[in-house]
Amino acid sequence: MSAGSGRRILILDGHPDPDPARLIHALADAYAEGAAAAGHVVTRLDVARLGFAPLRTAEAWEAEAPPDIAAAQAAISAAEHIVILTPLWLGDIPALLKAFFEQVMRPGFAFPRGARGLNAGLLRGRSVRLVVTMGMPAILYRLFFRAHALHALERNLLRFVGLKPVRWTLLGNAGGKDAAGRQAWLERLRKLGAAAA
């Protein structure tokens, strides 16, 4: 890859526990390593290390963003590709990651203030890779549970604000993976990072 031809990638590590032993953090590291080695420009946000409170009122949502959220908005604005990594908890994304999205996706940043239509998202021109770990087999979540929470996240938030295409990587049986299986996942993420995919 020639100099200057890399993409600007934002890695959003959505695990609420900052313990470095968490698999999501290792997957984020692997993606970052692959992307950086291929010449892409990588920025990383770890939701567990940001300072913000859950929103409780519409007035708070429409007010000025707190510093860590404003910095996250700047990182999203600068990105061409966004990688969101999260565990699946109780069939959905963790509450802290949901609170982060509520804070970040404010009117005036993610979509216009006032009247808006279905194609009014202000974050167009950015692609997304959604990487999700789960205890159950990924095929079970996709077929039996119909990946309901991820479809809602994609439709009701990511695409609504203009982020597309959205591609998924579902990693099932995470708690039962042996060292070789985990290593295969890390290598898979390195390859995705190198391809900025």
Side-chain angles (χ1 to χ4, degrees):
M1 182 170 290
S2 61
S5 64
R7 295 184 77 194
R8 296 185 306 277
I9 301 173
L10 171 62
I11 298 174
L12 176 58
D13 181 332
H15 201 297
D17 184 351
D19 182 348
R22 299 293 173 216
L23 175 59
I24 286 290
H25 305 323
L27 293 168
D29 290 343
Y31 191 102
E33 290 164 9
H40 303 295
V41 178
V42 178
T43 301
R44 183 164 170 175
L45 286 175
D46 290 9
V47 170
R49 300 188 185 283
L50 301 179
F52 63 90
L55 290 170
R56 295 180 182 271
T57 67
E59 291 79 15
W61 182 55
E62 294 175 356
E64 183 176 339
D68 277 0
I69 296 301
Q73 289 174 331
I76 291 168
S77 292
E80 296 173 285
H81 181 60
I82 301 169
V83 183
I84 303 167
L85 301 101
T86 181
L88 191 73
W89 283 7
L90 297 176
D92 207 340
I93 64 174
L96 188 66
L97 182 56
K98 176 75 163 58
F100 170 81
F101 285 136
E102 290 174 356
Q103 280 275 7
V104 167
M105 301 304 182
R106 292 169 181 256
F109 171 72
F111 49 86
R113 293 183 181 276
R116 51 193 170 266
L118 290 177
N119 293 313
L122 298 177
L123 299 178
R124 290 183 296 276
R126 295 163 181 84
S127 56
V128 173
R129 167 71 58 180
L130 186 58
V131 179
V132 183
T133 61
M134 61 194 69
M136 73 179 82
I139 192 73
L140 179 65
Y141 182 67
R142 190 182 285 275
L143 296 181
F144 182 77
F145 293 101
R146 301 192 185 277
H148 63 284
L150 302 185
H151 283 295
L153 175 64
E154 180 178 345
R155 180 188 62 241
N156 301 345
L157 177 65
L158 302 177
R159 288 184 176 272
F160 178 73
V161 300
L163 298 170
K164 61 184 175 182
V166 178
R167 295 181 178 91
W168 298 4
T169 299
L170 304 183
L171 304 173
N173 296 324
K177 276 293 175 205
D178 60 14
R182 288 171 62 103
Q183 194 57 44
W185 281 357
L186 295 175
E187 187 54 34
R188 183 175 174 188
L189 268 289
R190 283 189 194 94
K191 289 178 179 175
L192 286 172

